[in-house]
Amino acid sequence: MEDSLLETGLESQDVPKRFVICWKLSNTTKRGSKRLEYRKRLAVAVLTTILVLLPTTFTYIRIRNRQLENDVSNLTRPHVIFIVADDLGWNDVGWNNKKIKSPNLDNLAKAGVMLDHYYTYPICTPSRAAILTGYYSHRIGLQQRVIHDFQKRFVPKDIPMISERFQELGYSTNMVGKWHLGHCNWDYTPTHRGFDSFFGYNFATLSYYTHTWRKLYDLWENRSPYLDPEKTYSTDLFSKRSLTVIENHAQLHGNRKPLFLYLAFQAIHGPAEEVPEKYQIETPFKNVKSREIAARAVKAMDEAIGNLISSLERNNLMKNALVAFVSDNGGEISNGGNNLPFRGGKFTLWEGGARVPAFVYGPMLSNPGRVHSGLFHAVDWFPTLLSAVKAPPETGVPRYDGIDQWDLLRNGSNQEVSLRYDIVYGIDTSRNAAIRVGDYKIIQGNPVGEAYEKIMKDSKSPFDANGWPQGDKPGSGRSRDTFTDESVLLFNLRQDPEERVNLADKMPEMVERMRERLNTEISRAVPEQDRIRYRDEAMNKVRNDVLYPGWC
């Protein structure tokens, strides 16, 4: 029985067969027309939808392509691990002194590129500012002095830091350790200067265990004090945090997002506090306690750096990483540091105050295992690292002083090739200044300074204020001189790297040429920032023995 007929209540035998056939044909034609109309309407709707969505789709594709390009560029940008040791002298590392045990650092230096003529400033704040900004300190008002606890001094906000540039490039930016670039206002602290995270301290120095200086507690996690009831040795504390940064980054981002870690150890800066028992190795310096402690502090830092490299490798980050290691200035002789064979040390304009250990390491180096003998200054890191990560050129900011040396570091040879021709040791119009041009170096004024002479006389150091061993005899050729603010000294560093022979009287014409160059640099100096200590204003911001920013 036909369903269509049943719907009408007729049975098939009641209807002629010819009629049924006609009825079916008619009904089929009607249904076909309806289907055709439906298909037309559907086609119009689909076409309209496509036309409406097409511009949005193309926009999405363009955006997605840009995102993919950024992802690719992030993948090709290396992780950057920048490590700063504090007061580590030329003679405080194993590759320059076999009496020092630093096997991890030695291996990294020898497998990378050692910077044999790396120069910095002779004190903390100017050198750290130079690394992070690419500017000479006399051009940003910080000159040749550190930032003290109650001073309103800082790196100006209009001077960009490399952490801010890395942040703009999509890096995860993290800092662990010593800041020392301004803390009187939150705006001058790390998390306001391009770092996503900060774990460390603001002052020049602290107790390695209590994290206090003059009864003020100074250990921070971002903008909050970090309590350490276990009184952990700071090298271990910073090592543990840096490992946490690496492991967290590996879990969250892997190699999809580049990492910038600025790790600034307290070691081997004073106070000369004994290291934990596990680092108390035998040393040949038992007769000078401060020297023995310094050597053990190097051992502790070396182990921390070894653990850091192992973590990078274990988390598959080292294959796309660049590691740089430097000291912020020469070793402090009165605190166990040693800069021999160079003269002087921290606080002085002698070579021992500014020529310090440094190297770069990583798979990006096409010709590793060599020594780079060209001149390299701390200000060069800013453009060199930006070049290494393929950052676009800087625009709209005053010109920095650094020179891009990435291509030379990456592809250079053992031959002496130098892109830099001069070195600024320090420009302080109120007391002294020094500069190197080619092979010659001029020092104007007292290279040591009266304050440091007094420190050396009062200390039990085996070295005098000239940077020579106290027991040296006159026949050693190491001169012991008395200087004034009017002193002028000239040295040929290629022939006399230990600065034994002052050539100023023998080469007056060279002195004049060098003075002209020095005066040109002095003319670029901006006024020095206020050095007054605002103790009363600062102490109003002390809560629970913690000095909070907000008093400038």
Side-chain angles (χ1 to χ4, degrees):
M1 187 177 293
E2 299 294 335
D3 292 340
S4 56
L5 294 177
L6 285 174
E7 290 175 1
T8 62
L10 297 175
E11 293 184 1
S12 58
Q13 62 268 23
D14 298 329
V15 181
K17 187 174 183 180
R18 188 173 49 192
F19 175 81
V20 171
I21 293 173
C22 293
W23 188 91
K24 285 183 178 180
L25 289 172
S26 175
N27 196 43
T28 300
T29 302
K30 290 179 181 178
R31 286 202 303 269
S33 299
K34 290 181 179 179
R35 288 195 190 107
L36 182 61
E37 184 66 25
Y38 171 76
R39 287 172 182 170
K40 287 181 180 179
R41 288 199 300 270
L42 180 62
V44 171
V46 170
L47 183 60
T48 302
T49 303
I50 290 174
L51 292 174
V52 170
L53 293 179
L54 196 58
T56 305
T57 302
F58 281 125
T59 301
Y60 171 79
I61 291 172
R62 286 196 298 270
I63 292 173
R64 184 56 184 157
N65 284 340
R66 284 199 296 267
Q67 290 174 341
L68 290 172
E69 288 172 4
N70 290 335
D71 289 344
V72 170
S73 64
N74 282 341
L75 283 170
T76 58
R77 288 195 174 107
H79 309 297
V80 177
I81 314 299
F82 199 97
I83 305 171
V84 182
D86 203 339
D87 291 3
L88 187 75
W90 180 268
N91 210 32
D92 292 332
V93 291
W95 68 87
N96 289 331
N97 182 356
K98 293 182 179 178
K99 295 180 180 179
I100 297 294
K101 305 303 179 185
S102 56
N104 293 302
L105 284 169
D106 296 355
N107 291 336
L108 294 172
K110 292 173 183 177
V113 177
M114 285 189 273
L115 307 182
D116 193 50
H117 285 77
Y118 177 75
Y119 284 89
T120 181
Y121 284 100
I123 50 175
C124 303
T125 297
S127 64
R128 294 165 194 271
I131 290 169
L132 292 178
T133 69
Y135 280 75
Y136 290 137
S137 63
H138 62 279
R139 293 194 60 219
I140 58 176
L142 290 175
Q143 269 71 348
Q144 280 302 94
R145 291 175 179 82
V146 301
I147 296 176
H148 290 287
D149 41 13
F150 302 130
Q151 288 182 332
K152 299 179 180 181
R153 307 181 78 214
F154 45 84
V155 174
K157 286 284 287 184
D158 61 344
I159 302 295
M161 286 192 173
I162 199 166
S163 47
E164 293 167 323
R165 292 289 288 115
F166 278 149
Q167 204 172 50
E168 293 168 0
L169 293 170
Y171 274 75
S172 169
T173 56
N174 305 269
M175 181 186 167
V176 176
K178 178 176 177 177
W179 177 238
H180 205 198
L181 292 175
H183 58 271
C184 65
N185 190 294
W186 287 116
D187 284 346
Y188 310 132
T189 58
T191 55
H192 292 257
R193 294 309 316 256
F195 288 103
D196 298 325
S197 73
F198 168 57
F199 181 81
Y201 62 105
N202 294 316
F203 294 168
T205 190
L206 303 170
S207 162
Y208 279 78
Y209 295 94
T210 65
H211 318 302
T212 57
W213 173 248
R214 295 175 178 170
K215 298 182 180 181
L216 291 174
Y217 189 81
D218 188 33
L219 183 61
W220 298 81
E221 183 171 37
N222 299 323
R223 289 174 47 128
S224 301
Y226 180 88
L227 300 181
D228 177 35
E230 290 81 14
K231 298 182 179 179
T232 310
Y233 183 62
S234 72
T235 300
D236 289 344
L237 194 65
F238 298 149
S239 173
K240 182 179 179 181
R241 179 51 65 101
S242 65
L243 296 181
T244 298
V245 168
I246 291 170
E247 288 162 7
N248 286 346
H249 185 89
Q251 292 175 7
L252 291 173
H253 308 294
N255 285 299
R256 298 182 303 277
K257 184 181 180 74
L259 167 68
F260 175 50
L261 172 59
Y262 176 67
L263 172 57
F265 284 104
Q266 181 176 355
I268 61 173
H269 196 290
E273 296 177 316
E274 187 56 275
V275 301
E277 186 175 356
K278 61 182 177 179
Y279 303 125
Q280 293 180 18
I281 57 173
E282 290 293 321
T283 76
F285 311 116
K286 293 183 178 180
N287 294 331
V288 184
K289 188 61 178 176
S290 62
R291 182 65 177 148
E292 182 171 63
I293 291 174
R296 290 172 172 174
V298 171
K299 170 62 177 173
M301 179 174 61
D302 180 78
E303 187 169 313
I305 292 171
N307 292 336
L308 182 146
I309 298 298
S310 295
S311 179
L312 289 170
E313 292 172 343
R314 186 172 58 253
N315 287 287
N316 201 32
L317 301 179
M318 190 63 235
K319 67 179 183 180
N320 187 35
L322 178 67
V323 177
F325 174 86
V326 302
S327 176
D328 67 336
N329 47 250
E332 184 175 354
I333 299 170
S334 60
N335 195 57
N338 192 303
N339 309 286
L340 291 175
F342 304 121
R343 190 174 184 175
K346 181 180 180 179
F347 302 119
T348 78
L349 293 176
W350 300 118
E351 289 294 284
R355 188 171 170 183
V356 298
F359 65 80
V360 290
Y361 168 82
M364 299 174 66
L365 304 174
S366 61
N367 186 21
R370 58 188 165 87
V371 177
H372 174 58
S373 297
L375 300 180
F376 196 108
H377 194 281
V379 295
D380 295 337
W381 286 117
F382 187 95
T384 298
L385 292 178
L386 289 178
S387 178
V389 303
K390 301 177 181 177
E394 290 286 297
T395 57
V397 295
R399 183 182 178 277
Y400 45 69
D401 300 293
I403 296 172
D404 175 9
Q405 302 217 39
W406 173 239
D407 187 61
L408 198 57
L409 293 185
R410 183 180 186 182
N411 303 311
S413 66
N414 281 318
Q415 296 179 350
E416 183 176 342
V417 178
S418 186
L419 295 177
R420 175 172 283 282
Y421 190 64
D422 56 12
I423 292 291
V424 173
Y425 296 81
I427 303 294
D428 186 344
T429 54
S430 66
R431 55 178 184 177
N432 56 20
I435 192 171
R436 172 178 179 170
V437 180
D439 293 337
Y440 287 92
K441 173 181 178 179
I442 187 171
I443 303 176
Q444 191 167 276
N446 188 342
V448 177
E450 294 180 3
Y452 191 62
E453 285 180 340
K454 185 176 185 303
I455 290 174
M456 294 305 301
K457 288 177 181 178
D458 293 343
S459 77
K460 298 179 181 179
S461 169
F463 296 90
D464 64 17
N466 276 269
W468 304 130
Q470 296 277 18
D472 264 15
K473 298 178 181 179
S476 66
R478 291 167 171 163
S479 60
R480 285 176 170 80
D481 305 305
T482 300
F483 306 104
T484 69
D485 292 342
E486 305 303 319
S487 295
V488 177
L489 299 94
L490 180 72
F491 301 97
N492 184 322
L493 293 178
R494 183 179 291 275
Q495 299 175 0
D496 180 24
E498 297 178 24
E499 300 171 291
R500 298 181 182 219
V501 182
N502 180 9
L503 301 172
D505 292 338
K506 296 180 180 179
M507 303 181 69
E509 293 182 359
M510 178 59 72
V511 168
E512 286 307 308
R513 289 203 297 270
M514 294 291 288
R515 269 185 158 171
E516 287 180 10
R517 177 65 184 85
L518 184 61
N519 289 333
T520 297
E521 198 60 50
I522 289 174
S523 69
R524 302 175 70 220
V526 302
E528 185 177 6
Q529 292 183 17
D530 184 0
R531 290 189 285 116
I532 296 173
R533 298 193 186 188
Y534 295 87
R535 180 181 176 83
D536 292 342
E537 291 182 35
M539 291 302 290
N540 287 332
K541 286 294 181 177
V542 173
R543 301 288 183 273
N544 299 319
D545 296 324
V546 175
L547 176 59
Y548 285 83
W551 40 279
C552 73

